[in-house]
């Protein structure tokens, strides 16, 4: 009923590990984590890890079974990928399922989400990536903690538009992040976000003066360009509010004292349908200059009218 391929635990328990058949890759991807783990256990495959790891293990097992191999003295030994990583390391044996190159891991990572063309990740794959980043929790997938990683990945992978990533951009991004699997991306989340706050200085080849590069500003500007509808100069309010909430609550040291009330204000005004580029970029300076109690704001400052209206709304509520 849920649209997911279901497995019967009773059926699996009646069959030996050698007899248990493993579905093709596409049906495997439709299985729920609990079903994947049950199938792994029945096939004597390690059943811990996130969904994409379980799918990869089972698909590797299926391919191994379908490939004819010559009998050897070691044929009866337990499969290397069923052992712990420390056991495999001590054995000194080569194991493509545990020891793979970054390029191989990146390829497998991309293939999980690629569309039929195999040249890019489209909207459907991007939505699945979103869900996987949230551990399969649909509600968590909508939260700022997940949104910020989607925006960060889109930035590092030079996404042409939100919900689409080219194969080349995906792999270049993973190389730049030094993370070649979903697990590594999740493990390094804090490091990625911390990097957004590290301003660097380089000497201009023309003037020989030191030029500052602020990754947070670059990231913030990229997000606006990413989220704009094609041919437009604005971001729709709903998407803009979600992105701003992620950017200004999840990056360490960049929390805006206004983000919650600013988003509340935008959502309270039915006549506000979008956020333009000037407003988006001005929010950076507004967050730096104006305190939560509005100290630092003066009517003489050339803020976009949206901010003057926001301040008036805040004062009415004080």
């Amino acid at each position: 009923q849920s649209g997911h391929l279901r497995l019967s635990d009773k059926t699996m328990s009646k069959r030996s590990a050698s007899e248990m058949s493993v579905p093709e890759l596409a049906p495997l991807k439709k299985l729920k984590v609990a079903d994947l783990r049950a199938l792994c256990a029945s096939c004597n495959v390690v059943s811990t890890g996130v969904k994409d790891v379980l799918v990869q293990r089972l698909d590797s097992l299926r391919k191994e079974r379908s490939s004819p191999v010559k009998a050897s003295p070691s044929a009866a030994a337990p499969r290397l990928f069923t052992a712990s990583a420390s056991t495999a390391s001590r054995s000194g044996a080569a194991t493509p399922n545990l020891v793979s190159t970054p390029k191989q891991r990146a390829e497998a990572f991309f293939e999980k989400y690629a569309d039929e063309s195999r040249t890019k990740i489209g909207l459907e794959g991007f939505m699945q990536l979103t869900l996987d980043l949230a551990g399969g929790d649909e509600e968590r997938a909508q939260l700022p903690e997940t949104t910020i990683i989607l925006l960060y990945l889109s930035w590092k992978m030079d996404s042409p538009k939100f919900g689409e990533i080219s194969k080349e951009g995906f792999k270049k991004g993973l190389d730049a992040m030094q993370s070649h699997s979903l697990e590594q991306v999740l493990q390094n989340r804090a490091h990625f976000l911390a990097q957004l706050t590290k301003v660097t200085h380089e000497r201009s080849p023309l003037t020989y003066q030191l030029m500052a590069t602020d990754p947070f500003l670059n990231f913030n500007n990229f997000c606006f360009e990413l989220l704009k509808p094609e041919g437009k100069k604005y971001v729709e309010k709903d998407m803009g509010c979600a992105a701003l909430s992620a950017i200004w609550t999840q990056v360490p040291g960049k929390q805006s004292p206004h983000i919650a009330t600013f988003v509340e204000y935008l959502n309270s005004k039915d006549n506000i349908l979008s956020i333009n580029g000037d407003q988006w970029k001005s929010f950076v300076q507004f967050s730096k200059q104006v305190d939560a109690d509005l100290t630092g704001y003066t009517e003489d400052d050339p803020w976009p009218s949206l901010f003057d209206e926001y301040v008036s709304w805040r004062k009415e509520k004080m």
Side-chain angles (χ1 to χ4, degrees):
Q1 294 178 349
S2 64
H4 292 280
L5 180 63
R6 301 291 298 179
L7 297 175
S8 167
D9 293 337
K10 291 183 178 180
T11 300
M12 289 191 290
S13 64
K14 293 179 180 179
R15 302 172 64 180
S16 69
S18 60
E19 294 174 336
M20 178 58 62
S21 62
V22 179
E24 296 286 334
L25 183 59
L28 272 178
K29 290 182 177 181
K30 295 181 180 179
L31 287 173
K32 291 186 176 180
V33 172
D35 294 324
L36 289 169
R37 286 178 176 159
L39 182 55
C40 283
S42 298
C43 294
N44 285 340
V45 175
V46 176
S47 59
T48 58
V50 295
K51 183 175 180 179
D52 64 326
V53 173
L54 300 175
V55 169
Q56 185 177 11
R57 286 175 185 155
L58 288 167
D59 191 50
S60 296
L61 174 61
R62 178 186 61 79
K63 290 178 180 178
E64 183 176 312
R65 286 179 173 177
S66 63
S67 300
V69 294
K70 296 180 180 180
S72 66
S74 61
R79 303 182 191 280
L80 291 176
F81 55 79
T82 64
S84 66
S86 58
T87 301
S89 176
R90 287 194 301 270
S91 71
T95 165
N97 298 296
L98 282 178
V99 180
S100 58
T101 67
K103 183 177 180 180
Q104 290 172 326
R105 292 196 297 272
E107 182 71 26
F109 192 4
F110 173 79
E111 285 297 324
K112 179 178 180 182
Y113 305 105
D115 64 9
E116 294 181 355
S117 73
R118 321 313 293 176
T119 62
K120 64 181 176 67
I121 293 172
L123 185 58
E124 183 178 350
F126 194 81
M127 292 173 64
Q128 183 59 54
L129 174 59
T130 303
L131 191 61
D132 290 347
L133 287 169
D137 187 326
E138 293 184 2
E139 291 187 6
R140 186 180 171 192
Q142 307 300 319
L143 297 179
E145 63 188 70
T146 303
T147 301
I148 192 65
I149 292 301
L150 287 174
L151 293 172
Y152 184 87
L153 290 175
S154 297
W155 180 51
K156 298 299 287 187
M157 296 173 179
D158 198 20
S159 175
K161 61 181 180 180
F162 193 60
E164 182 178 311
I165 305 173
S166 71
K167 183 175 185 177
E168 181 182 7
F170 188 85
K171 291 186 175 181
K172 283 185 176 180
L174 293 181
D175 286 342
M177 296 160 60
Q178 298 184 7
S179 301
H180 298 88
S181 67
L182 180 68
E183 287 179 309
Q184 288 183 319
V185 168
L186 292 172
Q187 289 169 358
N188 294 327
R189 178 185 186 278
H191 171 71
F192 299 150
L193 299 183
Q195 292 299 307
L196 287 173
T197 66
K198 294 186 177 181
V199 177
T200 58
H201 295 81
E202 294 182 2
R203 196 170 295 280
S204 169
L206 298 177
T207 64
Y208 297 100
Q209 293 181 337
L210 285 177
M211 305 291 290
T213 299
D214 188 335
F216 180 78
L217 287 180
N218 292 340
F219 173 66
N220 183 66
N221 294 341
F222 170 85
C223 289
F224 178 79
E225 296 297 325
L226 176 72
L227 300 175
K228 287 191 310 181
E230 187 173 356
K232 304 299 181 181
K233 296 182 179 181
Y234 59 79
V235 171
E236 294 178 356
K237 182 171 70 175
D238 289 348
M239 186 169 286
C241 286
L244 287 172
S245 295
I247 294 169
W248 289 97
T249 64
Q250 299 298 304
V251 180
K254 295 294 183 179
Q255 289 83 358
S256 169
H258 299 284
I259 186 59
T261 51
F262 187 65
V263 168
E264 180 186 355
Y265 167 72
L266 293 175
N267 286 328
S268 72
K269 301 297 180 180
D270 293 336
N271 62 314
I272 298 177
L273 303 177
S274 61
I275 305 170
N276 65 38
D278 187 32
Q279 294 163 346
W280 186 279
K281 294 177 182 179
S282 293
F283 189 73
V284 177
Q285 186 59 35
F286 189 86
S287 297
K288 290 180 180 178
Q289 180 175 323
V290 182
D291 295 334
D293 63 359
L294 302 180
T295 301
Y297 170 82
T298 67
E299 295 180 355
D300 295 331
D301 289 328
W303 299 112
S305 59
L306 176 66
F307 293 91
D308 296 325
E309 295 162 2
Y310 161 70
V311 169
S312 297
W313 175 82
R314 282 284 313 280
K315 288 181 176 178
E316 290 176 1
K317 294 173 67 70
M318 286 181 173

